[in-house]
Amino acid sequence: MGVANKAWRLSLLSEKPNLALSNQLNGKHYQDHQNIYNDWRWWRSSATQQQRRKVPWSLVCGLMLFGLGLVSLFTGHVASDLEWYSQRLVKRSIFYSRLVLKEGDVKQLIFGNQNTRISSMDVAKEGVIFPVCSKFLFKLLLLESLLPFEQDTETFFLSSNFLTKLSLCVAAVRERASNGYLLIAASGGLNQQRTGITDAVVVARILNATLVVPELDHHSYWKDNSDFVNIFDVDWFISYLAKDVTIVKRVPDKVMRSMEKPPYTMRVPRKSPPEYYLDQVLPILLRRRAVQLTKFDYRLASNLDEELQKLRCRANYHALRFTKPIQELGERLVTKMRTMAKRYIAIHLRFEPDMLAFSGCYFGGGEKEKFELGEIRKRWATLPDLSPDGERERGKCPLTPHEVGLMLRALGFANDTYLYVASGEIYGGEETLRPLRELFPNFYTKEMLAIKELKSFFPFSSRMAAIDYIVCDESDVFVTNNNGNMAKILAGRRRYAGHKRTIRPNAKKLCALFKARDHMDWDTFSKKVKASQRGFMGEPDEVRPGRGDFHEYPSCICEKPFTDDKNRKGEALLSDRIHMNFKENVGENQGDKSLQRLKKRSMEEPISLREEDGENFPD
């Protein structure tokens, strides 16, 4: 044991120097590795600093924001497309559940029997759309409004007071169920804006939108600050079209406050079909809840399906009614004309400076006329340079007042005919009108008939035009002088009201006749004018249905034979002029030809508006 312990101790003593040497060597290697590691860390930090200096943080942030923008834009388009296609596929059921109730459905809901007879069911005739959650309230309102009824019948009567409230309730419900609010900014003068208002009603129906009462143009050539309520009966407009389109006077404040952005403003191409509004306008309306269409005149196609054309007629010929002051003054002027003569002609001369400048025509006024009209023409920057002689030969120039008078006299109107001239400021003033006055001494304007009553209307050109519109509409013959907006609107209205005669000058053919008038006698000139005017005298069959502009040739006119009392009386008088033994002395075919010649001769006889010559008046 002692030897062993001694040997173990000696071994430990012998290992201590080796261990010390090993520790010394290991410490040196560790120091070398530590130095290398420190050098590597310094190189990495310096390299990193150099790299960071090369890529600014602003660039990194910009790239990140750009990427986020692309992602947001992409997701927004995807969401919009998904929303649009889902609307078309499920008929807008993504937003609300709706219930369409016909008359029988309403009866079943209220009375439990579809065969129950109910009077005054106008609200349910075309179907009422409202959310399902409102049906119990709707049922309760109807049940509470029932009046006593006979025990042996199933006929229930609804109070008129409740029906009024019910119509307002239905309108409010339909407003909530619409796709949004449609705002319209009309453009031009009174009749041009009238076309825009009419088409706006139809567009609102196409989009299932709530129409806001259109805004009239205050910045056109006429500078009229009149609003819709100053010219048209706004309450009548809203109530008359309540079953077709929901109309409000303005977007509710609550809706405006809830909108993240103001109404989206856009301009649609002229004469756009319904498909354009469904594809381009409706997605924006669904997304923004309100869309404003600017410069809205002739922005809807002329040819639409039958139901939309009927709505056009209801809006134009029934819903748009002038305010009471305008209507009363217009009717007063008509009464004055009727007091002086049983029948009268209304002429829309449209010989104002703006019209002449726009046409690019020359009317013989020398350098003064060319300069004045040229200055006015500059307000239309896109108008091309035109040849005055070429435009006149193409029939694009309005007739002068003198030429209008010559045409009427050649057509057979005597100089005792009473004329009402609807016009604004005539270019050239009284000197331009003098030849027409000499041909027709019974010459009247609204200023001559009611100068005192018109004082409050003078600053407003649209209201003055509305008065002319009423007097021209009530005339026995309406004569236009160009194919402008008033001419189209009134011609269409007179056709709709029973084909009252409207004469349109065939300016293309008449131009050559007026140039050669000094080289022919009056009878020859008159015959050629009558021949030139065939097809331009306002006959019912001048244009086939569906052809031409809708506002001038409305396709919603009821088709019926012309067998009214006046026509029958005229045919009877014409037949009385034939000898009693006519058919006995002349063969059947020859008799027919003779009758045709007699009718033709009677049409060429001079026309007078005196009461005793009333049968010769073209009506």
Side-chain angles (χ1 to χ4, degrees), residues 180-197:
Y181 292 89
L182 179 65
L183 295 87
I184 296 295
S187 176
L190 173 66
N191 295 284
Q192 185 175 345
Q193 293 181 99
R194 191 184 184 106
T195 63
I197 296 169

Side-chain angles (χ1 to χ4, degrees), residues 542-553:
E542 278 184 357
V543 177
R544 286 184 291 178
R547 298 292 183 90
D549 183 80
F550 175 83
H551 297 287
E552 187 174 4
Y553 301 99

